Amino acid sequence: MHSNVFLKTRGLKKESYFIIILAMLFFVGLNPLLAQSKPDPKALIKQVDDLSDFSGKDFSAVFTIVTQKPGEKDSVTQARIFRRDLKKQFVILILLPEVNKGQGYLREDDNVWFYDPTSRKFSHSSMKENLQNTKAKNSDFTLSTFAEDYTVTKMTDGMVGKFPVWILDLKAKTNEVAYDRVVLYIRKDRTMLLKREDYSVNGRLMRTTAYPKYVELEGRLLPSQILIVDEVNKGEKSQITMAEQSVSPLPDRVFTKAFLEQVSR
Amino acid sequence: MNVVLLRIAARNLMRQRKRTMLLAGAIAFGIMIVTIINGFAGSFVKNISDNFSYLMGGHVFVSGSEYTPSGKRISIIRDDSVIMQALEDSGQKWVSLQKTSQTIATLIFEGKSMQQTLTGIDLSHSGMIKERLALVDGNWDNISWPNAIIISQSIAKKLNVLPGDVLVAQLQTITGQNNVGEFRVAAITIDSSFVGSMMTYVQLEYLNSLIGLGKNEYMSLGIMLERLEKSGPFANALYTSMKGMGLNLFDRSTKKEDGSMTPFQAMLLEQKTEQWTGTKYRLYTIDDVLAQAQQIVVALDTGSTVVLIVLFAIVMIGISNTFRMAMYERIREIGTMRAIGVQRNEIRSMFLYEALLLALAGAIAGIILALIAMGLLTFISFDPLSPVFLILKRGHFSFYVPPLRAIGNILLIAVLTLVAVYAPANAAAKLPPAEALRTVK
């Protein structure tokens, strides 16, 4: 009886080894196929950056930002944005609210200036600062530089709504990037950023941004609606809508301090 | 000095008491106004300096700056052992040292938020905190919490927090990265002043961990001295001592040639425009920071002198006319005096003595009135949360009239009165005695 059981067990062991080896061969054979379907994460974030890159062309659009804060009336900020990505230049001109009309931001290389028409003075600002009283940062209106600023630490897949997405966990390369950790949710079937999460240095979720609507401009997909949720100030959020987008050439004088002074008169 | 002439001059003034009172009153009023302005200007800088010393936690400060590899300038003192050695070697005495880091944060509690400057100090070992702050809620034992925060009554009211509540703080590291911290309200302080209500204290170590500084690093060293007046010599000695130890320091004496910048402003500009490697230190005093307040004092003093001159130009016209009138009233008396042998210069001197006595009496009365007015003004109490509080002494006006300034004002009045009276005095002196005696009023 004992010897029978022993023989049976040996037979089972042999079968198990066979199945394991077969499975390994199967996965090894399948691996190139898997590798093919999983994109290179670095190339993927470069593709996301390229979507917002209008180098060689000028870009302009009107953004309307509706900000909600608990206990406060919704505020509407409208701004016209001019970009020349090749020279790292942008101008943000505030159109609404009426009280802030004429205020503006000018970026020249790495310097950002804020112009106040009341005092007629320029003061130093930064890309990391919020635009007016909204949840959007100045950097949200420029081309993204994920590939330059971050390294991908993890890539998994998941779903955002009904869309299968790649979830990329990014870690800042230096300690001078606004958010130390960013998680991107990129649609699998077509490179589109659907969601973004920004984390603090000590790992706390600070901001969630959703990109529910896109428009096509010059063959590039641009988010036409953005929803930013402040995860620290619970209940505060901004909805950004883009309109009048254009890649028509802009005169050089647009990207000067004199332009901001002139248009605010 | 001819005492007889002086007595005659005094008697003449007493003869026309009403007129003398009016003239002396006009002089006294002018002197009173100017003395009050001088008194206010005299204590202006001292009050501001004292209030700012309280706000900044010292009379003399050392801060460090360096560039990150990407060229961003950050405020940091990494290793203070050399500074401490330089302090010892300077041979100067100080009352206390305070290591500080600061950042601007948005404090959030249950949907309410406000921006606030957080000052990180070693709460558990800071004598200054317990000495200067009076608690309205919470207790001193709580300040040993690693994430303790001490806020003022007005901030607590705005955020609707109580001791033990946890505030979320949104802030940036020294290199500009976003970060979030949680602070537990350890104590709520009485809004003793506008300055006090602005201050929010947290543990240095915890704040450093949030803003990207190491445990033993900080931004600025505040040195509290016995008296504010000692800050200049102290800073000079420490500067020499730090230079001697080979530390890289910003020049304290650079000044724009056209005078458009104070040395402190020039030092800040140098810090913005210059590039260096390693840590470069900035040594400055409260007086350096408030050099522009000193310019306000100069403006106030100049303004008061202009007021004095304008007021006295008007008063002097009155005095000159009054003395001309007095000369005609006393024309027969002058004739008699001249007839019995009084010389021309003695007649002139008599009038000038009269003017001098009038000026001195008016000036002394003016100073006494100013002292009374200043004494009464100090009783007015201002709202501690008013920004005016910065120029007041514990919520009240305070005055200091430099003695030399008061003496200068009296001398100025005396000279102006003598100038005003000189013409009628000279005319009286030149009167021919016979003609004067013949004059019928």
Side-chain angles (χ1 to χ4, degrees), chain B residues 8-290:
Chain B
I8 295 170
R11 189 206 63 192
N12 284 342
L13 282 175
M14 296 309 285
R15 272 163 63 192
Q16 294 288 338
R17 277 187 190 159
K18 205 172 174 184
R19 192 159 66 194
T20 304
M21 288 290 279
L22 280 171
L23 289 174
I27 294 170
F29 178 74
I31 278 284
M32 182 185 79
I33 297 291
V34 170
T35 307
I36 291 173
I37 297 174
N38 288 157
F40 180 70
S43 67
F44 180 81
V45 167
K46 195 178 179 312
N47 289 348
I48 290 188
S49 302
D50 280 343
N51 287 327
F52 269 90
S53 302
Y54 173 86
L55 180 75
M56 296 167 72
H59 293 118
V60 179
F61 303 89
V62 181
S63 65
S65 297
E66 63 178 52
Y67 283 95
T68 63
S70 69
K72 188 180 170 70
R73 201 182 65 244
I74 56 169
S75 183
I76 189 167
I77 294 177
R78 290 191 189 277
D79 177 12
D80 63 5
S81 57
V82 191
I83 301 172
M84 294 302 167
Q85 190 57 53
L87 260 170
E88 293 290 342
D89 293 353
S90 70
Q92 301 290 309
K93 285 182 181 172
W94 62 89
V95 175
S96 63
L97 299 176
Q98 189 165 283
K99 298 172 182 181
T100 312
S101 291
Q102 265 190 339
T103 193
I104 295 172
T106 305
L107 296 178
I108 305 155
F109 184 73
E110 289 180 355
K112 292 191 174 71
S113 66
M114 68 181 297
Q115 273 216 334
Q116 194 65 24
T117 300
L118 304 184
T119 303
I121 55 173
D122 182 359
L123 290 176
S124 311
H125 299 101
S126 170
M128 185 274 281
I129 285 286
K130 286 183 186 171
E131 187 188 306
R132 295 193 173 194
L133 302 179
L135 300 190
V136 69
D137 210 346
N139 65 67
W140 290 120
D141 296 337
N142 299 348
I143 63 170
S144 58
W145 293 339
N147 61 344
I149 186 169
I150 301 175
I151 54 172
S152 72
Q153 218 172 349
S154 51
I155 297 168
K157 199 177 166 189
K158 276 179 199 159
L159 293 172
N160 196 20
V161 290
L162 291 168
D165 285 338
V166 175
L167 300 175
V168 173
Q170 205 172 327
L171 40 81
Q172 286 192 342
T173 65
I174 48 167
T175 53
Q177 283 197 299
N178 288 297
N179 210 357
V180 181
E182 285 187 351
F183 292 96
R184 196 165 164 208
V185 179
I188 297 168
T189 60
I190 290 170
D191 286 335
S192 55
S193 72
F194 172 68
V195 176
S197 71
M198 294 194 305
M199 299 303 292
T200 299
Y201 297 99
V202 297
Q203 293 284 16
L204 178 68
E205 201 176 319
Y206 183 56
L207 184 69
N208 279 353
S209 73
L210 292 175
I211 61 173
L213 288 180
K215 192 181 168 187
N216 296 315
E217 294 170 345
Y218 55 97
M219 291 179 172
S220 168
L221 177 70
I223 306 158
M224 196 66 91
L225 309 178
E226 259 179 17
R227 282 186 293 120
L228 173 70
E229 293 73 23
K230 290 185 175 177
S231 61
F234 185 97
N236 290 338
L238 180 58
Y239 185 83
T240 312
S241 178
M242 286 174 78
K243 271 267 179 200
M245 299 201 78
L247 291 173
N248 191 9
L249 281 150
F250 287 101
D251 198 346
R252 289 195 71 221
S253 56
T254 46
K255 199 175 180 177
K256 259 206 151 183
E257 279 177 12
D258 59 4
S260 61
M261 270 188 200
T262 63
F264 184 69
Q265 286 170 321
M267 183 159 65
L268 288 181
L269 183 72
E270 191 187 345
Q271 189 176 333
K272 275 184 187 169
T273 52
E274 209 185 285
Q275 292 280 333
W276 64 89
T277 50
T279 311
K280 194 165 181 177
Y281 296 94
R282 189 153 61 95
L283 177 67
Y284 56 99
T285 67
I286 279 283
D287 286 342
D288 294 337
V289 179
L290 300 175

Side-chain angles (χ1 to χ4, degrees), chain A residues 75-86:
Chain A
S75 68
V76 179
T77 304
Q78 198 172 59
R80 186 174 284 279
I81 288 163
F82 305 97
R83 268 169 53 185
R84 185 168 283 174
D85 294 340
L86 198 65

